[in-house]
Amino acid sequence: MNTVILKTASKYLLPLLLLFSVFVLLRGHYLPGGGFVGGLIASIAFVLHAFANGLPDTQRLLRMHPGFLMPVGLMISLLSGIFPMLFSKPFMTGVWKSDPIPVIGSLGSALFFDIGVYLVVIGASLTIIFTISETK
Amino acid sequence: MIPHFTILPILLPLLSAVVLMFFWSKPRNQRVLSVIGHGLTLMASYYLAQKTFTGEIFSVQAGNWSAPFGITFVADALSGMLVLLASLAAFAVSIFSAASIGNGRASFGYFPILQFLLMGLNGSFLAGDIFNLYVWFEVIIISSFVLITLGGEKAQLEGAVKYVTLNLLASVIFLTGIAVLYGIMGSLNLADLAVKISASPDKGLINTAAILFLVGFGIKSAIFPMYFWLPASYHTPPAAVSAIFGGLLTKVGVYALIRVFSLLFIEDPFIRDVFIVLAVLSMITGAVGAIGQQNIRKVFSYLIISHIGFMIAGLGMYSTLALMGAVFYLFHDILVKTNVFLISGVIFKMRGSFRLENLGGLYNKFPLISIVFAIVMFSLVGTPPLSGFWPKLYLLQSSFTEGELWIFGAILLASFLTLIAIVKVWLAAFWKKPVENKIAMERIVWHQLIPIEKFLILLPILILTTATLYIGFYAENISDICKLIAEQIQDKSGYIEAVMPQIETNINPENIP
């Protein structure tokens, strides 16, 4: 699609949407949101960018194949599940840092699980969408 | 002390799959890493199995939420043995795949998916609540969809469509059963359900749920009226894939039947009669079907159906001896069925065809290899010192003493028909004079393989054959384990106590209000 309006809008929307996706990701612990929704919002940001500027531009912006995010995300989630086992607690028990960190708040292993999900969702949905829209 | 080792057979395949995904574009590294990953899983499974054979039941509450609310993993002797055998079969298949799967399939994620499949298998053997059992079934189904379609040959896609449709249908029916059960009981944890169901007056709805589970698991394990997808799809993918499918996927259905029905529904005589009827019909239809086939993989596919009947018959009779026979048969069948499908792959490499009319002369050309194949095929039949004989003996004995003469007759008839089918394969593939078929001759790749590849293709068959021989000649060790398993199945209180130590296990029927 070659419209100036969409191109200009996407330039501003990409960072905004990515910021929003991180917000949704972090909000998801007690309120609606979380890694899955956040990941979908982030991949929408890139899809919108691809609509406006063409697929090669977006791929250049990403610098790597989105599929690479899948194993990275899976690994983060898996390690966050294994982490509590080091303190002889069952797999996937939420382990929390005792005193909260300024600005971020309390830090727990559940956050890393969600970050992993976030990356897997971005990786998987972008791989699917890019594969379908590639014209060869 | 939390028994972390209980879930290692699930975590290690997941970890290996993730590591393999990092090597997405390097098939050569994937082959080595895949075998290492399966080897580690096998070791972890062996450790777990050894622990469970002492009679102790281990449980892990993932996330540290106590039993009826959280995700429970339970390992009793049945789970331990099945996890061990699944990991062994997967290890053998991964060696076979490392040597026989082309780079085309490997570069589209064959090896990671194989790990995910093993994760799903081990997960369903260890799952302690019925919804998680469903989730692990989905993991298995999705990975098997990928494995069966990977490569995209026309026959493969045709088989995959049948496989996918019927298995999705089975999942829907299974899920409906879970919904009904949750509606009545308000719980999904198997141990919790076992306590609640035996105290519930609502037998009508419980039986409805039981039949939904029977149909759902029945489609997956390919018992009598619901087996049509199996012979239509198992002969299409590469040999390594059909080996793990034939060896393990239907057995997960059988495991689910044993686990769910023994904990929840088996007290009902109606359910047991249904099992016995279905078992007799599966044994005979499967074996008759096998005789009529020309494709060796289809012969073995029909034999899977027939032999599932043996296990269901044991579950239907539900005496200690019958259950021993059923689980013993289950263990023997995992090893042998995986092996025969691997063997059919080797035969294809040697003769270029799966069809009996194009085969022949294998014994003349490869006498030593043929003898190994013969051992496997005759333990499938159940020739006395070999592994298939002992479980049949238990089943025959218990069916005779309990007066289930239909089962007694069906076992004898099905064994006899299996013998005919196997002898037919043996005569046509090994003893007959070789047939010169041009198309088949062009597909022979055996002589082009380098020695190390030949070794890697034959090694898994040797490993599985050794395991089969061990079961046959040291049957008393296995039958001790089977006795322990049968007792654990019949006495639910151990299982319930392991999952929910805080609840009094009062499931005596006299205490029902």
Side-chain angles (χ1 to χ4, degrees), chain B residues 379-406:
Chain B
S379 38
L380 183 67
V381 179
T383 325
L386 298 168
S387 64
F389 171 70
W390 306 106
K392 276 183 191 165
L393 191 67
Y394 291 140
L395 287 171
L396 285 173
Q397 217 176 332
S398 69
S399 61
F400 196 72
T401 49
E402 278 165 53
E404 300 282 2
L405 292 181
W406 278 102

Side-chain angles (χ1 to χ4, degrees), chain A residues 85 90-92, chain B residues 2-11 48 57-67 70-76 79 83 119-130 132-133 135-136 189-190 255 259 495 498-500:
Chain A
M85 288 164 78
F91 180 61
M92 275 192 160
Chain B
I2 295 144
H4 289 306
F5 55 83
T6 312
I7 50 171
L8 275 187
I10 305 173
L11 294 183
L48 171 65
I57 299 176
F58 300 96
S59 75
V60 168
Q61 314 288 350
N64 215 4
W65 299 97
S66 60
I71 297 171
T72 310
F73 293 98
V74 193
D76 61 357
S79 307
V83 164
M119 176 179 87
L121 289 164
N122 284 345
S124 49
F125 294 141
L126 294 171
D129 79 74
I130 199 156
N132 272 289
L133 185 65
V135 173
W136 291 118
N189 190 292
L190 278 170
Y255 164 78
R259 174 67 81 216
Y495 187 92
V499 178
M500 299 190 296

Side-chain angles (χ1 to χ4, degrees), chain B residues 224-439:
Chain B
F224 165 64
M226 304 166 269
Y227 62 76
F228 298 99
W229 58 272
L230 192 147
S233 60
Y234 272 22
H235 64 285
T236 55
V241 175
S242 60
I244 200 153
F245 280 25
L248 289 166
L249 292 199
T250 49
K251 310 305 182 293
V252 183
V254 176
Y255 164 78
L257 280 173
I258 294 178
R259 174 67 81 216
V260 171
F261 279 77
S262 70
L263 278 171
L264 306 183
F265 309 119
I266 204 75
E267 268 103 14
D268 199 309
F270 167 70
I271 303 278
R272 273 147 80 171
D273 287 344
V274 171
F275 271 131
I276 288 174
V277 173
L278 291 180
V280 168
L281 290 170
S282 319
M283 280 190 246
I284 293 172
T285 44
V288 171
I291 292 178
Q293 296 303 320
Q294 279 300 313
N295 184 321
I296 42 174
R297 288 211 278 184
K298 277 201 165 180
V299 173
F300 296 141
S301 300
Y302 273 100
L303 287 179
I304 292 178
I305 298 161
S306 170
H307 296 160
I308 293 288
F310 287 81
M311 304 162 210
I312 305 296
L315 182 58
M317 289 190 279
Y318 206 63
S319 64
T320 310
L321 200 62
L323 282 173
M324 275 172 72
V327 292
F328 200 143
Y329 207 96
L330 183 57
F331 303 153
H332 141 83
D333 211 51
I334 288 176
L335 294 174
V336 172
K337 286 282 160 36
T338 311
N339 213 350
V340 287
F341 278 99
L342 289 182
I343 285 173
S344 68
V346 177
I347 292 178
F348 183 80
K349 283 188 194 303
M350 287 170 169
R351 307 296 315 167
S353 176
F354 284 116
R355 299 194 64 82
L356 288 176
E357 67 257 26
N358 298 337
L359 297 171
L362 280 172
Y363 184 76
N364 250 341
K365 221 172 164 193
F366 308 97
L368 268 178
I369 299 175
S370 297
I371 284 172
V372 175
F373 291 3
I375 293 173
V376 179
M377 292 211 262
F378 286 91
S379 38
L380 183 67
V381 179
T383 325
L386 298 168
S387 64
F389 171 70
W390 306 106
K392 276 183 191 165
L393 191 67
Y394 291 140
L395 287 171
L396 285 173
Q397 217 176 332
S398 69
S399 61
F400 196 72
T401 49
E402 278 165 53
E404 300 282 2
L405 292 181
W406 278 102
I407 293 186
F408 188 79
I411 291 174
L412 288 182
L413 183 62
S415 305
F416 182 64
L417 293 174
T418 307
L419 177 68
I420 295 179
I422 291 296
V423 166
K424 200 178 130 189
V425 170
W426 180 256
L427 288 179
F430 294 87
W431 273 358
K432 193 176 68 183
K433 276 207 179 101
V435 178
E436 305 291 322
N437 181 312
K438 265 223 176 98
I439 307 166

Side-chain angles (χ1 to χ4, degrees), chain B residues 9-30:
Chain B
I10 305 173
L11 294 183
L12 283 173
L14 178 57
L15 186 69
S16 332
V18 175
V19 171
L20 282 169
M21 282 167 85
F22 279 111
F23 291 89
W24 191 263
S25 52
K26 300 185 184 95
R28 180 177 282 276
N29 303 10
Q30 281 193 31

Side-chain angles (χ1 to χ4, degrees), chain B residues 403-477:
Chain B
E404 300 282 2
L405 292 181
W406 278 102
I407 293 186
F408 188 79
I411 291 174
L412 288 182
L413 183 62
S415 305
F416 182 64
L417 293 174
T418 307
L419 177 68
I420 295 179
I422 291 296
V423 166
K424 200 178 130 189
V425 170
W426 180 256
L427 288 179
F430 294 87
W431 273 358
K432 193 176 68 183
K433 276 207 179 101
V435 178
E436 305 291 322
N437 181 312
K438 265 223 176 98
I439 307 166
M441 299 292 268
E442 282 165 15
R443 283 192 300 221
I444 297 175
V445 289
W446 187 253
H447 57 268
Q448 299 163 359
L449 298 176
I450 53 172
I452 181 80
E453 279 178 321
K454 284 185 189 171
F455 173 73
L456 283 178
I457 284 173
L458 291 174
L459 180 69
I461 293 173
L462 284 176
I463 293 174
L464 291 175
T465 311
T466 318
T468 312
L469 286 176
Y470 175 82
I471 290 185
F473 288 111
Y474 292 87
E476 71 273 13
N477 297 353

Side-chain angles (χ1 to χ4, degrees), chain B residues 56-107:
Chain B
E56 205 178 330
I57 299 176
F58 300 96
S59 75
V60 168
Q61 314 288 350
N64 215 4
W65 299 97
S66 60
F69 310 109
I71 297 171
T72 310
F73 293 98
V74 193
D76 61 357
L78 176 63
S79 307
M81 189 67 169
L82 283 171
V83 164
L84 174 62
L85 289 174
S87 306
L88 178 65
F91 177 64
V93 168
S94 83
I95 299 176
F96 192 88
S97 316
S100 71
I101 292 293
N103 276 344
R105 283 193 171 92
S107 62

Side-chain angles (χ1 to χ4, degrees), chain A residues 65-78:
Chain A
H65 193 275
F68 183 69
L69 289 174
M70 281 191 269
V72 174
L74 272 175
M75 193 57 116
I76 293 173
S77 290
L78 179 62

